[in-house]
Amino acid sequence: MQVSMASAQGVGVANEDTVHASPTGVVVLDGLSAPKDLPMGCIHGTPWFVRQLGTSLLKLIGDNGVTLREALRAAITEVNDLHRGTCALDKDAVPASTVALIREREGVLDYLVLSDNVLVLDLGDEGVQTVTDKRVEEVAGEEVRAALRGPTGTPEHAARVSALVTVQRRLRNRPGGYWVAATDPAAADEAITGTVDLARVRQAALLTDGASRLVDSFDTLSWEQLLDLLCTEGPAALISRTREAELVDPVGERWPRFKRSDDATAAYVRFGPGGPMGGGPG
């Protein structure tokens, strides 16, 4: 497994994404933003949460006897233990994160996706397969449509985004809602998981929604073209290309979105012999 990674902050005050890699595993997390005008039950904040969760996950998936769901359950519990004495973990207003991770194990590739991160698998003659959990798009439809109305960066737009987050928090990690990694370990049971023979996989990408938007929001690349860009120029080039597109439409008129530019993180993985492709945040 040869991994290259890049992560870049969007318009927020901190990068709420994180990416971690080992010789056999990759973890990509996208922390859910908390608007400043809404309460937060954790004094540490989302960037702290995703760093702790990512570190714990990478350690736990190193044990091949642990399933990826078991690893996510244990990681959520470990992070809870780090701040249950200082933070109101029984409230809706707690840090949360999407998850995408892969693990190379005994000739197979295990994967797990929770919420709207995207895993892209190049299966050669079988084509490109994507794995993502879109349940978040199936709830709070009226508020989503309102929050997507531009122009971005205005007080009115910010108020509509806050209204959406308020509704989403009530629907988070509940039957009929959607699921993310937060304080309830049972969310791991809702993750999409699978296993693919490693011989079938040529390359893979793990993307936060800020890094997948050239395909699934802007429709300016196909998944095959995105993989080609990652292969030839690397994850930083994908993010740079995304920022260029966002600058063309800064207020979200052509491509409606919640933020002018979101935190963007991409991990690109090639399988087979050879050394590491390069470094990146971890």
Side-chain angles (χ1 to χ4, degrees):
M1 179 184 292
Q2 308 159 58
V3 183
S4 56
M5 308 175 290
S7 185
Q9 183 178 328
V11 296
V13 298
N15 189 347
E16 296 176 328
D17 290 357
T18 190
V19 54
H20 302 260
S22 72
T24 58
V26 181
V27 176
V28 170
L29 305 178
D30 180 357
L32 278 61
S33 296
K36 294 179 181 179
D37 60 328
L38 296 183
M40 171 57 74
C42 172
I43 64 173
H44 301 94
T46 301
W48 175 88
F49 174 78
V50 295
R51 288 195 301 270
Q52 300 301 324
L53 185 66
T55 300
S56 181
L57 274 170
L58 193 68
K59 174 192 68 176
L60 289 162
I61 66 174
D63 181 351
N64 288 345
V66 174
T67 70
L68 299 188
R69 281 185 177 143
E70 289 170 344
L72 182 54
R73 287 182 69 96
I76 292 170
T77 300
E78 284 187 3
V79 178
N80 285 347
D81 290 342
L82 293 176
H83 66 143
R84 69 173 68 254
T86 57
C87 303
L89 304 188
D90 58 338
K91 305 299 182 183
D92 292 336
V94 292
S97 178
T98 67
V99 182
L101 60 89
I102 59 173
R103 174 179 63 189
E104 186 177 319
R105 171 184 60 89
E106 299 170 354
V108 299
L109 185 72
D110 298 324
Y111 64 80
L112 178 148
V113 175
L114 183 64
S115 199
D116 58 357
N117 282 1
V118 183
L119 170 64
V120 187
L121 297 173
D122 177 1
L123 302 179
D125 293 340
E126 300 174 55
V128 172
Q129 173 184 333
T130 60
V131 183
T132 189
D133 173 8
K134 292 294 189 180
R135 280 173 288 186
V136 66
E137 297 181 359
E138 299 169 2
V139 301
E142 181 178 342
E143 289 82 5
V144 168
R145 289 188 291 272
L148 285 173
R149 291 200 305 268
T152 61
T154 65
E156 294 80 12
H157 183 263
R160 292 194 295 270
V161 171
S162 291
L164 170 62
V165 173
T166 298
V167 174
Q168 286 179 330
R169 282 178 171 179
R170 294 198 299 265
L171 297 169
R172 193 177 293 168
N173 290 354
R174 287 172 171 79
Y178 69 104
W179 300 84
V180 292
T183 58
D184 184 0
D189 299 333
E190 297 291 331
I192 299 171
T193 60
T195 298
V196 183
D197 288 339
L198 199 57
R200 295 169 55 200
V201 188
R202 293 182 177 179
Q203 55 186 342
L206 295 86
L207 311 165
T208 64
D209 61 353
S212 65
R213 57 176 37 173
L214 286 179
V215 179
D216 54 19
S217 295
F218 296 178
D219 197 27
T220 59
L221 291 179
S222 67
W223 291 118
E224 291 81 1
Q225 289 170 328
L226 180 143
L227 285 172
D228 286 344
L229 176 60
L230 288 172
C231 180
T232 58
E233 301 183 45
L238 170 64
I239 295 173
S240 178
R241 183 86 62 90
T242 303
R243 295 293 186 247
E244 290 170 4
E246 291 164 345
L247 287 173
V248 171
D249 179 39
V251 299
E253 181 178 3
R254 178 178 179 183
W255 299 305
R257 52 199 190 270
F258 303 127
K259 302 176 183 177
R260 184 188 70 213
S261 63
D262 198 0
D263 300 336
T265 298
Y268 172 68
V269 187
R270 285 201 308 215
F271 298 92
M277 290 180 58

